[in-house]
Every structure is written in structure tokens, then in C-alpha cells.
Amino acid sequence: MTIAEGDVPVRGGRPRDPACDAAILRAALDVFAEAGYAGVSIEGVAARAGVGKATIYRRYANKAQLMADAVRCGVYVDDHLPDTGNLRADLMAMMQPLVDRMRSEDGKLLTAFAIERFRDAELAEEFDRAVIGHKRDHLRHLVRAAIQRGDLPADADVDLIAEAAPAYIWHHALYGLPIADNLLERILDLVLP
Amino acid sequence: MTIAEGDVPVRGGRPRDPACDAAILRAALDVFAEAGYAGVSIEGVAARAGVGKATIYRRYANKAQLMADAVRCGVYVDDHLPDTGNLRADLMAMMQPLVDRMRSEDGKLLTAFAIERFRDAELAEEFDRAVIGHKRDHLRHLVRAAIQRGDLPADADVDLIAEAAPAYIWHHALYGLPIADNLLERILDLVLP
Amino acid sequence: MTIAEGDVPVRGGRPRDPACDAAILRAALDVFAEAGYAGVSIEGVAARAGVGKATIYRRYANKAQLMADAVRCGVYVDDHLPDTGNLRADLMAMMQPLVDRMRSEDGKLLTAFAIERFRDAELAEEFDRAVIGHKRDHLRHLVRAAIQRGDLPADADVDLIAEAAPAYIWHHALYGLPIADNLLERILDLVLP
Amino acid sequence: MTIAEGDVPVRGGRPRDPACDAAILRAALDVFAEAGYAGVSIEGVAARAGVGKATIYRRYANKAQLMADAVRCGVYVDDHLPDTGNLRADLMAMMQPLVDRMRSEDGKLLTAFAIERFRDAELAEEFDRAVIGHKRDHLRHLVRAAIQRGDLPADADVDLIAEAAPAYIWHHALYGLPIADNLLERILDLVLP
DNA sequence: ACATAAGCGAGACGGTACGTCTCGTCTTCTG
DNA sequence: CAGAAGACGAGACGTACCGTCTCGCTTATGT
């Protein structure tokens, strides 16, 4: 499940070359890391990947979709959506990988991409659809389930609790505040009873 | 301090037409509001401003500089730093104006400016020094004072409480989440006891 | 052999569209005839031809090359280089078409182009390389062969005899002297024994 | 009669600075010599002359007029019309000065002037009336006189013989062919018996 | 003597065109 | 049929000049 549109195993004909998939994503991330989003061009990615332009356009409708998928596959891949019945543990499991990645070398890449995401409505939409959306939904689901269980009061603010970790983490990243190892724990200490 | 390069009034030659300065910035902001950053083109701005392209390039080296200045000029900031001894009231007084503007037409502009701030280290530094910095400091000061007064427990997480409102507000703005009228109250309900 | 650079059919890739070749040359000549060389702009030609600018620049490096080829293909095409062993007949066969064209409506166009050729070193070079050069060479070759055969004395002035027709014809055209039907015959009567 | 519009010493105001006239023409000719007609720009000439653009536009409406005047001022003509009864000697005496100047530094200038002459009907008429016209007439007169004397056969082609030297010389100049020292002699050898 | 009027260097102004680049689509050929 | 190669129409990029228009100054003349 690497390619956004899922695999379309059309019948007949030569199958898509998985080596191309990889080469394209690899090249896209490399170029982005070197030159920023504005410096990415489909032609450049194609050349670097040793691939024809059509081979990219056969997979992605445009640059935004390509980059959204590249970032997802390259640095965002933990698609684990835990649901153990322990809200705090589930939130930790979901968000700690993001904190870790933000503290690593990938942090800068991720932040740079996020910023581009804000500038380009198309890119934002693609990325939210492909990567962020169902995580956000799951966060809300976890909080609501906790209320149902009685672990949170009935009038708890579902949205704010669910968004707490992303909001604080990105706020730190964007404003260059240090992201401590225990940042996530402190956030949850603050917003969970 | 409107135009990026400062005023270089060199002597000799016809002076720059201030009406052009205004028309360019006005047009840049208009186009931006309609089409987003990616939708801004120098040619479009020039046409809309009724100005030659050279008249823009005489002032700005490229789109990035133009938009940085446009958005900077389109953003004003008020500077009220209340300190009444009531933490919740002070935080409300400080942050509600930001919420209000975010909900107004200016919201897009403010958000755009923030994004540019993230991209441009120089802009970031200048802006933090001139506008953000002492607000952030004051927020921390208010929280610490509340602890001192015993209004907050001694082990309260100063940084997270102080940053709560900005973090949530910008998070909502950047991710396009609706900013409700009572957003600030809900945030304070969550992070203050 | 319409396009200057010869056909470079490299393998792979979509081949150049011959319809574009034609549309471009047609449009270039039309615009030139209407507005003169100075009035020709690549953008105008592209628009008139219903073609992207890049499609022209893919074929010609600049306006000079385009116009050189356009004139060659449009009004200069008789690439017949006769060599029958009869000097006078060969010279007649080579040059009479030019005289005829000079006497026709195309004459003005041709003259206008020649003048531009003189003003623009780049255009001159392009045109000589693509159109004039091998004709000039062939003229010299014919005269030398005639000397070899003994049809001309051994000390005949190869260059002047070879250039006689072009020199007189262009002289008449440029100075607005009437170009008589039998001009070429009179020239050859004068310079051939 | 140096400046196109003649001198209009209207009353009042500061008079035109003759030093500017000179500097402009000087610079125009210099730039022309270095970069050719197409390489001349008013801005370049102004800069080289140390003069504002308006100071040029006050004198000439556009580049064509500037260059026409520049080249006109750079060209002088001598007016010796010999008639000794020796056709060959007279033709030599009339045309050798032109050959000599064509071989000198002035050659480019003369050629440039001729080209401008072809483009500008007004300039052409003026120049033919003032300079070329009676020379052309005199050439014909000399040839006809030679026929009368029996030095040329009765059916000699007056026009072609009379135009031979100008035609060949200008042909060489315009096409960049080398103009040899003995070019004129060779021409006369060819067209005179 | 001093207002009037124009010339002057400098350079901004609204434009046009340049030649380059990338976009996303479309053909053709090769494996 | 997938893939590489690359042509295609479209249109923005940043640059260079065009010819016009202020600026603040200088330089003669005509009262």
C-alpha cells in the first residue's frame, strides 16, 4: 500500500514496475531535501529517478500528490492506530513516533514539508486525505470512547483533547522550541485528568 | 519601514512613486486572498495593480520578497500586556484579540504571514523580536506569578500552560479547523484548573 | 530538408509535428510581409501559428534563424544546382529564378529581407550558412570548370564572373533600378566572352 | 546641417549643449562599430556618452533617426567628376576613392549608411539628390562619350558598364567579401574591352 | 537682478518581447 | 501493454529596452 490510489491491478498488460515506484519516491524526497518544495519539479524527479515523466503521471495526478505520498512513505509511515481501551497509552503509542521523528534528522524535513503544506491548498488537501485525516479521526474516536467508558467526564472537550498532542508538537517545531524527550508525557499530564 | 530594502532615497533621478508601492501591495494581498500563495504571480499582481512588471522588480527581487513585504504590511499587531493578578482574565485579554482577528477576514492574511515567518529565518527573528517575543515572555510571567500566588499548583507546567492558547489557535488556523467564538475559553477550561 | 538543422531523427520520443513546421514558417512570413523584420516577434508568430513559444524555440534558437529559414523555404527554395557543361546556360538556369522572383510581388519581400540581413550579423550568418553559401560555391565551381574546359581563358577572373549576376541583380533591387526581363542575358553578355 | 531637425534656436531657455551633440554621435558610432546596428540601444549610447536618455530623445525621435544622423555625420563625400576622354582612367579616378575608403576603418560606416539609405525612402532621396545622383549621371555620360569616340562599340551596354564598379563594390561590402586593393582594376578589366 | 524657460543627469514609469522553464497531456518507439 | 523519450500548448519567470515622464539642478536670455 505504497501508492496513494491503492493498487489498481487492472487486468492484462504489463504490470507496473515496483522498482519505478521506489525510484520515484526516493528521488522526490532527495530533491525535496536538497532544494525544498519549490525546487521540486516533476521533470527533475523523473530525470533523477531515471524514469519518464509519464511514468510519474501514471501514478500521481500532480506534484502535490507525488510529494504527499513521498513524505508519507518516506518519513510518516507508522500507520498503527491502537485502540487498547487505555486512552493515555493509545495516545502515547500514536504520537510518540512523531515526537521521535521530530527529534531526529527527519524533523527538519518534516517541518519543511508541513510549511509547504500550509502554503499550497492542493498539497494540503492531498496530504490530509492520504495521511493525516484518519489519524485525526482516530484520535477523536479514542477520546470519545474514553468518555463512553467513563474514563473522561461526559463534558470533556473532545476536539481539544484529541488535538492537544499535534497542536503542541507542531507549535514547538514551527517556532523552533526544543522538543524534549518527555514532551508528550507533559502534554498528556496537562490535558488528561 | 514598509519596503523591504528600506528607503534608498539616493539623490538624482525621478523618485519612486509611493502610489505604486501602495497599488502593488494592495494587489498582492488581493490576489493572495483570492488564490493563495501558490496562485500569486508577479504578472498577475502587476496587471491588477495597473503597473509594469519592472516596477515591481525594481522594488522586490522575486515573489517571495514581494509577498513577505505585502503580508508584513497587511498585518498590524496590538500590544496590550495586561497583568491584573487574575490569570484567566489576563490570558483572555491577551489572546482574545488574536482569536477575533483570526475569525475575521484578516485571518487568512495573518496565517499567511505566520507561514512566511516559518520559511524565512530573518523574517522570523525580526518578527519575534518586534512582536512575538515579549508576548511570549509575558505569558510565562503571568503563569509563574499565578503559581507564586498559589492560584496554580507549584508543579504546574509553566511552558505548556503559557503556550496553550497560541499553540491551539495557530494549530486551528494552519490546519483550517474552524475557530469558534469560544475557542479561547475552552482552551483555558482545559489547561487551567 | 525544411528545417535548418537538418533532420535529427534521434530515436525515441515523440517526433516533431510537421504541421507545426509549416504553420510556423507560414506565420513568420505573413508577419514579416505585414510588419517588416522589426515587427516580427516570436510571440506574435507563435500566436498566429497557434503554437506555443517553446515549439518555435525547439526548432530555432532565435528570431534570426527562424526568419532565415522562413525566407529560404518561402521564397528561395529553388535548390537546383545545374552543371551541364554549358556555363552560360547553367548561370541562366541558376539565376533566372531570382530575377523572376525579383520582378514578382515577392521582390519587395526579398529585398526587405536582404536589407535586414545586412543589419543583423546573426541573421546574415544564419542565412549565408543555410541558403546562400552553397549557391555561391557552385557559381565559382561552374566558372572554374569552364576555364578547365577552355570555354574561358585561363586567366579569367573567377570571382567577378561568378558574382556578376548576384551583384548586378541586388544592386538594381537595392537602388530601385528597374529589373528588366532580359537583365540576366545582358549581364552574361557583358562578362562572358 | 548636422542635427536632423536643423537648429531651432527658439528664444529663452538654456541652449542645447553642443558637447552633448558630439558625445552622442561619437558614442553612437562607437557602439555601432563594436556591436553592429542591432547591438545599438539608446540606453547604451546614453550611458557611453555620459548623457541622460532624454538628452538623446530631445534630439532624435528614435534609434533609427539617431543612427541615420550618426552615420550621415560619419560619412563625408568628395565630389571630383573627372572627364579626360580616357574612360578607364576616369572611372578609376571616380571610383578608387570609394574603394580606398571601403578598405579603411570607414568601410563599416559607409556600409551602414548605405543600408540605412535602403530602409529610409526619405534618406534615400535626399542622399541620391545630394551625392549619388550626379555621380551616376556622370558615369553614364562617360560611357556614352566613349561610345561616341569609338572607344566602345556602339552596342555597348551603357547602364551595366556604368554601374559595374558601384555594383561590385557594394556587393562586396554588403556581403562581407574582402575588398582587394586591385578590385577596381579587375572590374574594369572585366567590363571594358 | 532676477524671473523665465529650457537643457541636463538620473532614473522611475507602463509596456513589449526576450529566451528559459515547468506544467500536465500527447505521441512514437523499444522491450 | 509499460516505460523512455520527448514534442506539444500554455503561460510565468526575471531581464533588457522602449519612449515618456518627473525630479532637482544648471545656464542663458529678456526684461
Side-chain angles (χ1 to χ4, degrees):
Chain A
M1 163 139 137
T2 299
I3 299 304
E5 302 314 305
D7 15 277
V8 192
V10 281
R11 72 244 188 73
R14 170 177 169 182
R16 297 243 176 108
D17 183 348
C20 286
D21 298 358
I24 290 168
L25 295 178
R26 174 89 251 123
L29 273 183
D30 285 356
V31 175
F32 177 73
E34 287 173 17
Y37 185 81
V40 175
S41 73
I42 298 281
E43 308 212 309
V45 172
R48 157 105 60 151
V51 138
K53 282 204 300 174
T55 302
I56 295 181
Y57 279 109
R58 208 170 285 121
R59 291 163 164 75
Y60 306 101
N62 51 45
K63 182 164 116 172
Q65 285 188 19
L66 165 61
M67 290 314 300
D69 200 49
V71 165
R72 184 171 66 89
C73 297
V75 284
Y76 230 105
V77 258
D78 41 358
D79 259 352
H80 180 49
L81 300 180
D83 190 357
T84 64
N86 178 336
L87 177 59
R88 185 181 175 107
D90 286 346
L91 293 179
M92 285 290 292
M94 273 190 73
M95 304 306 299
Q96 189 62 44
L98 177 59
V99 172
D100 293 342
R101 216 174 301 269
M102 282 300 197
R103 292 167 48 81
S104 78
E105 293 176 347
D106 283 352
K108 285 190 106 104
L109 197 63
L110 225 46
T111 305
F113 181 77
I115 293 171
E116 295 308 325
R117 195 219 86 114
F118 300 136
R119 297 182 102 196
D120 186 328
E122 201 173 4
L123 179 57
E125 195 176 343
E126 286 306 326
F127 195 67
D128 285 3
R129 189 165 55 73
V131 185
I132 297 289
H134 56 290
K135 288 198 177 179
R136 200 193 305 285
D137 292 343
H138 191 66
L139 287 171
R140 270 172 183 65
H141 161 72
L142 292 177
V143 175
R144 267 192 283 263
I147 294 175
Q148 219 101 50
R149 286 194 307 270
D151 294 348
L152 285 178
D155 66 343
D157 196 318
V158 175
D159 289 344
L160 292 192
I161 294 173
E163 299 288 348
Y168 272 113
I169 293 171
W170 283 112
H171 184 73
H172 278 69
L174 292 170
Y175 282 93
L177 307 177
I179 298 184
D181 195 19
N182 66 342
L183 175 62
L184 186 52
E185 295 172 34
R186 288 167 52 210
I187 295 169
L188 299 183
D189 286 343
L190 183 67
V191 302
L192 297 184
Chain B
M1 169 164 121
T2 300
I3 299 302
E5 303 314 306
D7 19 279
V8 191
V10 283
R11 68 244 195 72
R14 174 176 173 177
R16 298 258 172 98
D17 183 347
C20 286
D21 297 0
I24 290 168
L25 294 178
R26 174 88 251 121
L29 287 175
D30 285 356
V31 175
F32 170 79
E34 287 173 17
Y37 186 89
V40 175
S41 75
I42 298 279
E43 307 212 316
V45 173
R48 158 104 57 151
V51 138
K53 280 205 297 175
T55 300
I56 296 181
Y57 280 110
R58 212 170 280 124
R59 291 165 165 74
Y60 306 101
N62 50 48
K63 177 169 126 176
Q65 287 188 20
L66 164 61
M67 291 314 295
D69 198 49
V71 119
R72 192 199 331 250
C73 295
V75 170
Y76 79 96
V77 257
D78 55 342
D79 241 3
H80 181 47
L81 299 181
D83 190 356
T84 66
N86 179 335
L87 177 61
R88 186 179 175 107
D90 287 345
L91 293 180
M92 284 290 292
M94 273 188 74
M95 304 306 298
Q96 189 63 45
L98 177 60
V99 172
D100 292 343
R101 287 196 68 202
M102 283 300 195
R103 290 167 50 81
S104 77
E105 295 175 344
D106 277 2
K108 275 189 85 167
L109 225 53
L110 275 174
T111 306
F113 178 75
I115 293 169
E116 294 313 310
R117 194 220 85 113
F118 299 140
R119 290 170 51 90
D120 182 341
E122 199 177 335
L123 181 58
E125 195 179 345
E126 179 195 328
F127 192 66
D128 285 4
R129 185 164 31 73
V131 183
I132 296 289
H134 55 288
K135 285 199 177 178
R136 200 195 302 288
D137 292 343
H138 191 65
L139 288 172
R140 272 173 182 63
H141 160 72
L142 291 176
V143 175
R144 265 192 285 263
I147 294 177
Q148 221 100 49
R149 285 194 308 271
D151 293 349
L152 285 179
D155 66 343
D157 195 320
V158 176
D159 289 345
L160 291 192
I161 294 173
E163 299 288 348
Y168 270 114
I169 293 171
W170 284 113
H171 184 73
H172 278 69
L174 292 170
Y175 281 93
L177 306 179
I179 299 185
D181 195 17
N182 66 341
L183 174 62
L184 186 52
E185 296 172 34
R186 290 165 52 210
I187 294 169
L188 299 182
D189 286 343
L190 184 66
V191 301
L192 297 183
Chain C
M1 167 143 133
T2 301
I3 299 303
E5 302 313 307
D7 18 279
V8 191
V10 282
R11 68 241 194 74
R14 174 177 173 177
R16 298 259 171 95
D17 183 346
C20 287
D21 297 0
I24 290 167
L25 294 179
R26 175 88 250 123
L29 273 183
D30 286 356
V31 176
F32 178 71
E34 286 173 17
Y37 186 81
V40 175
S41 74
I42 298 280
E43 307 212 314
V45 172
R48 158 106 57 151
V51 139
K53 282 204 297 174
T55 300
I56 295 183
Y57 279 110
R58 209 170 284 122
R59 292 164 163 73
Y60 307 101
N62 49 48
K63 185 165 112 170
Q65 285 188 20
L66 165 60
M67 291 314 299
D69 201 48
V71 166
R72 183 170 67 89
C73 297
V75 283
Y76 231 106
V77 257
D78 41 359
D79 261 351
H80 180 48
L81 299 179
D83 191 355
T84 65
N86 179 336
L87 177 59
R88 186 179 174 107
D90 287 346
L91 293 179
M92 285 290 292
M94 273 189 74
M95 304 305 300
Q96 190 62 46
L98 178 59
V99 172
D100 293 342
R101 216 172 302 266
M102 283 301 197
R103 293 166 49 82
S104 78
E105 293 176 349
D106 284 349
K108 285 192 106 104
L109 198 64
L110 227 45
T111 305
F113 181 77
I115 292 171
E116 296 308 327
R117 195 220 86 115
F118 301 137
R119 296 179 105 196
D120 186 329
E122 202 172 3
L123 181 57
E125 194 176 344
E126 287 306 327
F127 195 66
D128 286 4
R129 189 165 56 71
V131 184
I132 297 289
H134 57 287
K135 288 199 178 180
R136 202 194 301 289
D137 292 343
H138 192 66
L139 287 172
R140 271 172 182 65
H141 160 73
L142 292 176
V143 175
R144 266 193 283 264
I147 295 177
Q148 219 100 50
R149 287 194 307 269
D151 294 349
L152 286 178
D155 66 343
D157 195 320
V158 175
D159 288 345
L160 292 192
I161 294 173
E163 299 288 348
Y168 272 115
I169 293 171
W170 283 112
H171 185 73
H172 279 67
L174 292 170
Y175 282 93
L177 307 177
I179 298 185
D181 195 18
N182 66 340
L183 175 62
L184 186 53
E185 295 171 35
R186 289 166 51 209
I187 294 169
L188 298 183
D189 286 343
L190 183 67
V191 302
L192 296 183
Chain D
M1 169 165 120
T2 300
I3 299 303
E5 303 313 306
D7 19 279
V8 191
V10 282
R11 72 227 186 88
R14 172 177 173 177
R16 298 254 174 99
D17 183 347
C20 286
D21 297 359
I24 290 168
L25 293 178
R26 175 89 249 124
L29 288 175
D30 285 357
V31 175
F32 170 79
E34 287 173 17
Y37 186 88
V40 176
S41 74
I42 298 281
E43 306 213 313
V45 173
R48 158 99 62 147
V51 136
K53 283 203 298 174
T55 301
I56 295 182
Y57 279 108
R58 209 170 284 122
R59 291 163 165 75
Y60 307 101
N62 51 47
K63 175 167 126 175
Q65 287 189 21
L66 164 61
M67 292 314 295
D69 198 49
V71 117
R72 193 199 328 252
C73 293
V75 170
Y76 77 96
V77 257
D78 54 344
D79 242 2
H80 181 48
L81 299 180
D83 190 357
T84 64
N86 178 337
L87 177 59
R88 186 181 176 106
D90 287 345
L91 293 179
M92 285 290 291
M94 274 188 72
M95 303 306 298
Q96 189 63 43
L98 178 59
V99 172
D100 292 343
R101 288 197 67 203
M102 283 298 195
R103 292 167 48 80
S104 76
E105 295 174 343
D106 277 2
K108 275 188 86 167
L109 227 51
L110 274 173
T111 306
F113 178 75
I115 293 169
E116 295 314 310
R117 195 220 85 114
F118 299 138
R119 289 171 51 91
D120 182 341
E122 198 178 336
L123 181 58
E125 195 178 344
E126 176 195 330
F127 193 65
D128 286 4
R129 185 165 29 73
V131 183
I132 296 288
H134 54 289
K135 284 200 176 178
R136 200 195 304 287
D137 293 343
H138 191 65
L139 287 171
R140 271 172 182 64
H141 160 71
L142 291 177
V143 174
R144 267 193 283 263
I147 295 177
Q148 221 99 50
R149 285 194 308 270
D151 293 349
L152 285 180
D155 65 343
D157 195 321
V158 176
D159 288 346
L160 291 193
I161 294 174
E163 299 288 349
Y168 270 115
I169 293 170
W170 284 112
H171 184 72
H172 278 69
L174 291 170
Y175 282 93
L177 307 177
I179 298 185
D181 195 17
N182 65 342
L183 175 61
L184 186 53
E185 295 172 34
R186 290 164 50 208
I187 295 170
L188 298 182
D189 286 343
L190 183 67
V191 301
L192 297 183

